[in-house]
């Protein structure tokens, strides 16, 4: 038979004392501590990975709750290196006006019109995975599909189908901390008709974007799209954007600098002709106003007997 | 010594249902949110009471307002719960029907603690306790910043309604 050595007996004794001590602290029954212990940390969907449904030029993974409508006015001035005669670009204006409707909490449809190339666009956006708090699912993923029609007057008449372009994109984002979020987005851009024989119809790109809050209501943002296969003949650069988000109640105001003029995917991802490092930079802003068309439902009634 | 804690546990009640509402009455628009996820414990014998309310459980009519409430005002990722810990006095545990009572204790909202005295009413019957109270909360007391450029007008003092129903633990 093995002898229990005095050391381990002492340990057992200490454990016993500890257990007793534990019981007595439990008996003190601090009600609040008891409640806190009982409340399991819930794993809920993470909200506000980004302040807005747009980061700078491109979309974020965010979709608004069902019944919301967003009015979006996007505006880019001319290039700041265009000199005093063009008032550093402020004489020029490129604009996109858009309306987004949230049909469900996860599905948004949008339409828009851009002054650049007189383009109409429409998109569908569907959030199919959600990041959850407290060790739940690690990221949010949203699928995006858009179609655009370039309705410029051209010297030669083109069929409607030749004015069309399509974009398919998967947006994947994670909110790492209350202040910091990062997003990756593989994109495919298809153009039915390209400008020159050297241009490719299908462009593949990978975007990366992020935000860092600098106060409770403002954040710094960046966005970059790397093109894998676009032509290098005509001026063609990867889209870069740096910005600030400012939130004021029902509005989000985004101010930024970017080398892209267009405000739809097909334009800024595959057709950016400004060299950011050469000063081909546009000052721009997005003004987003959210309207709640349909309320989320009545608040619960008070309990009976009170 | 072994029996004493047992007795106090026997008089301990836990909430089975709750209704917490806050209401802000401001010139531009009234803002209301309701939360049914609060939990509470109450010891009828000693008057000790505690409650804990998950901030994310507040439901607003406008979803964006709810997001702002959590993100900008309450910072609910950092401070997930509002809690109260104190003692109710001035009631008779053998009396039936609604009777007044006063809770003295510490409220913790947005990570800021404040001593409070809350007047309310309670109803004690066999195996069942109900508590109700309506009291004002001054937003600035809890270092909750209301921005000047905001399109939702939030009152500086909001009205909080608390209803709990308890059953014997």
């Amino acid at each position: 038979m093995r002898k229990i050595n005095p050391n381990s007996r002492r340990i057992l004794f200490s454990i016993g004392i500890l257990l007793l001590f534990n019981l007595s602290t439990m008996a003190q029954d601090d009600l609040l501590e008891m409640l806190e212990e009982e409340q399991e940390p819930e794993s809920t969907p993470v909200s506000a990975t980004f302040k807005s449904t747009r980061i700078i030029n491109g979309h974020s993974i965010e979709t608004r709750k069902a019944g919301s409508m967003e009015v979006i006015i996007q505006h880019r001035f001319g290039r700041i290196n265009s000199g005093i005669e063009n008032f550093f670009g402020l004489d020029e204006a490129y604009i996109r006006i858009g309306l987004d409707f949230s049909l469900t909490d996860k599905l948004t449809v949008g339409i828009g019109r851009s002054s650049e190339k007189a383009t109409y666009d429409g998109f569908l956006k569907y959030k199919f995975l959600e990041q959850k708090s407290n060790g739940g699912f690690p990221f949010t993923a949203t699928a995006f599909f858009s179609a655009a029609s370039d309705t410029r007057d051209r010297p030669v008449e083109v069929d409607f189908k030749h004015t069309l372009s399509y974009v398919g994109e998967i947006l994947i984002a994670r909110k790492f901390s209350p202040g910091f979020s990062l997003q990756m987005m593989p994109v495919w851009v298809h153009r039915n008709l390209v400008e020159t024989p050297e241009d490719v119809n299908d462009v593949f790109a990978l975007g990366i974007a992020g935000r860092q809050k600098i106060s409770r209501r403002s954040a710094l943002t960046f966005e970059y799209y790397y093109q894998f296969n676009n032509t290098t003949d005509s001026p063609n650069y990867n889209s870069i954007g740096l910005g600030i988000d400012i939130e004021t109640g029902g509005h989000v105001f985004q101010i930024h600098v970017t080398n892209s003029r267009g405000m739809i995917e097909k334009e800024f991802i595959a057709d950016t002709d400004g060299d950011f490092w050469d000063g081909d930079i546009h000052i721009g802003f997005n003004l987003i106003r959210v309207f709640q068309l349909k309320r989320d439902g009545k608040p619960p009634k008070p309990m009976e007997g009170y | 010594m072994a029996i004493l804690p047992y007795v106090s546990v026997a008089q301990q009640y836990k909430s089975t249902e709750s209704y917490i509402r806050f209401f802000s009455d401001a010139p531009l628009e009234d803002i209301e949110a309701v939360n049914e996820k609060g939990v509470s414990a109450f010891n009828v014998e000693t008057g000790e009471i505690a409650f804990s309310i998950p901030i994310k459980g507040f439901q607003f009519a406008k979803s964006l307002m709810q997001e702002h409430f959590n993100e900008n005002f309450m910072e609910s990722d950092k401070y997930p719960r509002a809690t109260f810990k104190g003692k109710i006095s001035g009631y008779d545990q053998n009396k039936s029907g609604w009777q007044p009572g006063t809770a003295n204790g510490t409220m913790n909202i947005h990570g800021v603690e404040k001593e409070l005295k809350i007047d309310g009413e309670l109803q004690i019957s066999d195996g069942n306790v109900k508590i109700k109270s309506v009291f004002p909360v001054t937003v600035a007391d809890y270092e909750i910043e209301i921005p000047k450029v905001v399109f939702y007008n939030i009152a500086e003092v909001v009205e909080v309604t608390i209803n709990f129903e308890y059953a014997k633990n």
Side-chain angles (χ1 to χ4, degrees):
Chain A
M1 206 180 97
R2 265 181 64 205
K3 241 177 140 183
I4 299 172
N5 83 35
N7 249 345
S8 52
R9 203 176 297 168
R10 208 168 296 157
I11 289 168
L12 277 175
F13 181 71
S14 324
I15 290 173
I17 291 283
L18 270 175
L19 279 175
L20 259 174
F21 182 71
N22 240 337
L23 277 175
S24 69
T25 54
M26 267 169 72
Q28 281 179 354
D29 67 0
D30 183 314
L31 292 184
L32 189 56
E33 254 168 55
M34 188 195 83
L35 283 178
E36 304 271 86
E37 270 164 35
E38 281 175 13
Q39 272 178 299
E40 300 254 320
E42 268 181 278
S43 186
T44 50
V46 167
S47 71
T49 304
F50 292 94
K51 286 275 179 200
S52 161
T53 54
R54 305 300 197 282
I55 295 175
I56 288 169
N57 291 308
H59 280 260
S60 73
I61 46 99
E62 298 293 348
T63 53
R64 295 271 173 236
K65 290 274 163 59
S68 317
M69 178 183 80
E70 283 190 339
V71 178
I72 303 179
I73 297 163
Q74 291 165 283
H75 188 281
R76 305 288 178 269
F77 291 106
R79 290 174 178 173
I80 57 173
N81 64 357
S82 58
I84 184 69
E85 63 272 23
N86 195 24
F87 203 57
F88 306 101
L90 300 186
D91 284 352
E92 268 173 83
Y94 304 91
I95 195 161
R96 179 182 178 273
I97 298 172
L99 277 179
D100 292 5
F101 297 94
S102 298
L103 302 180
T104 72
D105 291 354
K106 294 178 176 175
L107 178 67
T108 299
V109 297
I111 47 168
R113 153 86 188 195
S114 301
S115 62
E116 175 76 352
K117 298 178 188 164
T119 304
Y120 290 92
D121 68 275
F123 70 82
L124 275 173
K125 194 175 170 184
Y126 183 67
K127 192 191 274 178
F128 61 96
L129 288 172
E130 266 183 319
Q131 185 184 343
K132 300 266 171 71
S133 62
N134 293 314
F137 196 73
F139 61 84
T140 301
T142 299
F144 175 87
F145 178 79
S146 77
S149 170
D150 168 348
T151 67
R152 271 177 303 173
D153 270 337
R154 295 164 202 248
V156 200
E157 190 93 354
V158 294
D159 289 346
F160 173 68
K161 70 175 180 197
H162 287 131
T163 70
L164 292 176
S165 60
Y166 305 98
V167 173
E169 189 174 6
I170 301 288
L171 313 160
I172 299 159
R174 176 171 167 80
K175 190 177 189 177
F176 286 92
S177 71
F180 180 66
S181 304
L182 208 57
Q183 180 174 294
M184 298 270 276
M185 45 282 191
V187 202
W188 160 70
V189 178
H190 175 81
R191 303 171 286 198
N192 278 354
L193 182 71
V194 287
E195 309 268 321
T196 69
E198 288 77 36
D199 284 326
V200 291
N201 289 87
D202 294 278
V203 175
F204 295 91
L206 179 67
I208 182 162
R211 79 111 192 240
Q212 172 64 52
K213 271 176 138 180
I214 47 174
S215 80
R216 260 182 259 171
R217 284 164 204 90
S218 58
L220 297 176
T221 55
F222 80 92
E223 192 182 82
Y224 177 72
Y225 287 88
Y226 177 79
Q227 304 170 88
F228 291 104
N229 67 330
N230 209 352
T231 173
T232 49
D233 285 2
S234 55
N236 182 323
Y237 295 93
N238 292 328
S239 176
I240 300 171
L242 299 169
I244 300 171
D245 280 8
I246 300 160
E247 185 189 57
T248 58
H251 293 77
V252 182
F253 192 63
Q254 303 177 304
I255 313 168
H256 31 250
V257 288
T258 171
N259 58 335
S260 302
R261 197 164 47 224
M263 287 155 276
I264 55 172
E265 281 65 22
K266 165 232 172 197
E267 285 294 322
F268 64 80
I269 293 169
D271 216 357
T272 287
D273 58 8
D275 181 354
F276 192 89
W277 309 112
D278 203 30
D280 300 339
I281 294 169
H282 305 262
I283 295 172
F285 60 81
N286 300 341
L287 178 59
I288 302 174
R289 168 74 188 163
V290 188
F291 295 93
Q292 189 98 22
L293 298 183
K294 198 179 105 254
R295 299 240 156 180
D296 265 3
K298 289 231 161 63
K301 287 260 177 314
M303 285 149 55
E304 272 178 44
Y306 284 81
Chain B
M1 203 191 128
I3 293 166
L4 216 65
Y6 175 76
V7 170
S8 75
V9 166
Q11 290 310 314
Q12 199 165 289
Y13 285 68
K14 259 182 64 189
S15 63
T16 51
E17 256 191 279
S18 69
Y19 173 88
I20 320 293
R21 168 180 183 261
F22 87 73
F23 181 70
S24 154
D25 175 16
L28 202 63
E29 84 186 296
D30 291 345
I31 297 168
E32 182 188 20
V34 173
N35 191 335
E36 290 180 307
K37 295 199 168 141
V39 291
S40 176
F42 176 50
N43 188 323
V44 176
E45 195 91 355
T46 63
E48 278 176 278
I49 182 167
F51 60 74
S52 174
I53 299 158
I55 302 302
K56 283 185 181 161
F58 279 101
Q59 299 288 321
F60 289 70
K62 288 185 180 177
S63 54
L64 192 64
M65 207 180 267
Q66 189 166 332
E67 186 181 307
H68 290 156
F69 173 77
N70 281 293
E71 277 276 303
N72 302 341
F73 295 101
M74 303 301 287
E75 299 178 270
S76 59
D77 282 328
K78 250 182 166 149
Y79 313 109
R81 284 185 260 274
T83 60
F84 180 80
K85 192 175 132 180
K87 222 167 192 173
I88 302 181
S89 56
Y91 67 92
D92 174 0
Q93 56 170 304
N94 299 314
K95 203 171 147 187
S96 64
W98 287 103
Q99 55 176 318
T102 303
N104 280 290
T106 313
M107 182 78 89
N108 185 325
I109 303 174
H110 189 236
V112 179
E113 287 195 340
K114 200 174 151 49
E115 295 299 316
L116 270 192
K117 181 174 148 276
I118 305 170
D119 289 322
E121 282 180 73
L122 61 172
Q123 190 191 63
I124 302 163
S125 55
D126 190 37
N128 177 289
V129 173
K130 285 182 173 134
I131 283 180
K132 65 176 175 185
S133 176
V134 180
F135 59 96
V137 167
T138 306
V139 176
D141 283 352
Y142 299 95
E143 290 166 29
I144 298 163
E145 231 181 275
I146 301 174
K148 286 183 183 67
V149 202
V150 84
F151 290 78
Y152 307 138
N153 244 329
I154 294 168
E156 281 166 21
V157 178
V158 299
E159 180 195 276
V160 176
T161 305
I162 281 185
N163 294 173
F164 277 112
E165 178 161 359
Y166 303 82
K168 209 166 230 174
N169 203 0

